[in-house]
Amino acid sequence: MNSSLVGNQSGRPFCLLAISYLETINFCLLEVVIIVFLMVLIISGNIIVIFVFHCAPLLNHHTTSYFIQTMAYADLLVGVSCLVPSLSLLHYPIVLSESLVCQIFGYVVSVLKSVSMASLACISIDRYIAITKPLTYNTLVTPWRLRICILFIWLYSCLVFLPSFHWGKPGYHGDVFQWCANSWNTDPYFTLFIVVMLYAPAAFIVCFTYFNIFRICQQHTKEINERRVRFSSQDGEAGEAQPCPDKRYAMVLFRITSVFYILWLPYIIYFLLESSNVYSNRVASFLTTWLAISNSFCNCVIYSLSNSVFQKGLKRLSGAICASCARQRVAKDSSTSRSKRSSNGCHV
């Protein structure tokens, strides 16, 4: 990447956060702890989300569930792919060359995070259509069209990062591999290409749709409250302010989108500065990259804490697991009691 990123010195392993190196264990301790911790959180959290969606039919009534599940599967694969750099930092022997592993890892993680970003943009478009055209929504947004849209998201994400094998580092790297740090440079033209084809359109769509969604919801809330005040004054009863019914669900999705871009912003800024040769630092590269990857766990946390239907599905899933464990315990106890009775009968 740059001359400031040094490789092995005096036989020491390549560590981005040099303060974490311990000679007694001979591997990059802090990097491994961060990556493995995120890997466990991302995999476990998104597996729970996927199971809840399959166990709670009410969640599938919303068309956005298609995109939420797409994000969950993409984030789950991000967690699985984190196994590769953790093995590298532990100096586990890899069959392929480090340069090829570095390029494949960077490409795969970039594609998966692009799927998440595009899914968030599609969710905002879906909610915008639902609020602006409620009467024709069911005819415009059909399951078949949603599946085509999801397929297009995956194909587009795969194609937009394909030039990274020739142009340089894609949107995610982290320089965990030494070859990434010393030999794989960022190209300013490729950075501009990614910004124009992915970052900027997705951010513009999200800002435009959610701005109009909350504006329309505010207008609807004002109209509903005026009607309630008018009718309540005629009946002699005080009317209570009622929020827009679509605003609550939009707020859940807005929180997910806001956290996504908040965690991404440090990396996007660093990515632009690095590719333009303005600033580069191996610690900043590592921390901003894995801060952005941590968003793969934040999605499921926000959704589980904000959506009441999801919480009911989670309780249902945990209840089913507890009931299954209780049945197994009862069956085990009954089998042990039968074996005790049979053994007592033999001695009589």
Side-chain angles (χ1 to χ4, degrees):
M1 175 167 98
N2 307 290
S3 59
S4 61
L5 302 184
V6 293
N8 291 355
Q9 292 179 353
S10 305
R12 293 175 58 173
F14 174 74
C15 295
L16 287 166
L17 308 177
I19 57 175
S20 63
Y21 170 71
L22 297 176
E23 294 184 1
T24 54
I25 55 178
N26 196 37
F27 67 81
C28 311
L29 178 62
L30 187 55
E31 289 95 325
V32 172
V33 170
I34 292 173
I35 295 175
V36 171
F37 179 69
L38 287 177
M39 181 179 66
V40 172
L41 289 180
I42 292 170
I43 292 176
S44 58
N46 285 284
I47 286 177
I48 292 173
V49 170
I50 293 169
F51 271 110
V52 170
F53 267 98
H54 283 287
C55 296
L58 287 175
L59 285 171
N60 293 318
H61 289 177
H62 295 286
T63 55
T64 49
S65 66
Y66 286 83
F67 297 112
I68 294 290
Q69 290 180 72
T70 300
M71 289 173 54
Y73 281 109
D75 291 336
L76 175 62
L77 292 175
V78 169
V80 173
S81 65
C82 290
L83 183 65
V84 177
S86 61
L87 290 176
S88 173
L89 291 170
L90 289 170
H91 306 288
Y92 189 85
I94 300 176
V95 177
L96 301 175
S97 63
E98 188 181 47
S99 59
L100 183 60
V101 173
C102 172
Q103 289 179 317
I104 292 175
F105 170 74
Y107 173 77
V108 168
V109 176
S110 299
V111 168
L112 294 174
K113 298 313 297 178
S114 173
V115 170
S116 295
M117 181 177 286
S119 297
L120 289 172
C122 289
I123 288 173
S124 65
I125 294 173
D126 174 81
R127 291 297 89 199
Y128 179 76
I129 296 173
I131 292 176
T132 56
K133 298 181 179 180
L135 299 178
T136 58
Y137 175 78
N138 290 330
T139 58
L140 292 173
V141 182
T142 61
W144 182 80
R145 288 180 178 176
L146 287 172
R147 293 187 183 97
I148 295 295
C149 182
I150 290 171
L151 179 62
F152 176 76
I153 287 173
W154 282 96
L155 289 176
Y156 183 81
S157 300
C158 291
L159 291 174
V160 77
F161 284 102
L162 202 58
S164 64
F165 290 98
H166 298 285
W167 284 5
K169 289 178 182 176
Y172 269 87
H173 47 84
D175 298 332
V176 176
F177 304 95
Q178 185 175 0
W179 188 87
C180 283
N182 297 334
S183 304
W184 204 20
N185 298 319
T186 52
D187 190 296
Y189 295 104
F190 184 50
T191 303
L192 181 63
F193 174 77
I194 295 297
V195 170
V196 171
M197 298 299 292
L198 182 63
Y199 295 162
F204 174 78
I205 289 172
V206 167
C207 293
F208 174 81
T209 52
Y210 279 116
F211 173 79
N212 284 279
I213 285 171
F214 289 117
R215 181 179 60 83
I216 294 169
C217 283
Q218 188 176 12
Q219 184 178 354
H220 287 179
T221 303
K222 184 179 179 181
E223 293 174 356
I224 293 171
N225 292 335
E226 287 176 355
R227 290 191 190 124
R228 288 182 63 85
V229 170
R230 191 183 310 122
F231 286 116
S232 62
S233 61
Q234 293 175 359
D235 298 337
E237 297 177 359
E240 296 180 358
Q242 295 293 326
C244 175
D246 293 316
K247 188 175 181 180
R248 186 178 299 173
Y249 191 64
M251 279 298 299
V252 176
L253 303 173
F254 179 73
R255 290 190 195 105
I256 293 176
T257 306
S258 300
V259 171
F260 183 91
Y261 281 99
I262 289 171
L263 295 177
W264 263 64
L265 188 61
Y267 179 78
I268 293 175
I269 294 174
Y270 176 80
F271 184 45
L272 294 173
L273 292 175
E274 182 193 70
S275 60
S276 57
N277 295 323
V278 175
Y279 174 78
S280 71
N281 181 275
R282 63 183 183 182
V283 176
S285 174
F286 179 85
L287 294 179
T288 55
T289 296
W290 292 96
L291 177 66
I293 289 178
S294 69
N295 176 77
S296 297
F297 171 70
C298 295
N299 288 339
C300 51
V301 172
I302 296 170
Y303 202 77
S304 61
L305 294 178
S306 304
N307 190 287
S308 58
V309 179
F310 185 90
Q311 291 173 3
K312 292 178 182 178
L314 185 59
K315 290 179 181 177
R316 182 180 176 183
L317 177 63
S318 59
I321 293 173
C322 292
S324 176
C325 293
R327 284 195 298 268
Q328 290 180 359
R329 192 180 299 112
V330 169
K332 184 178 179 180
D333 292 340
S334 61
S335 62
T336 53
S337 62
R338 282 197 301 267
S339 62
K340 286 181 179 179
R341 286 197 299 268
S342 61
S343 61
N344 292 334
C346 292
H347 291 287
V348 175

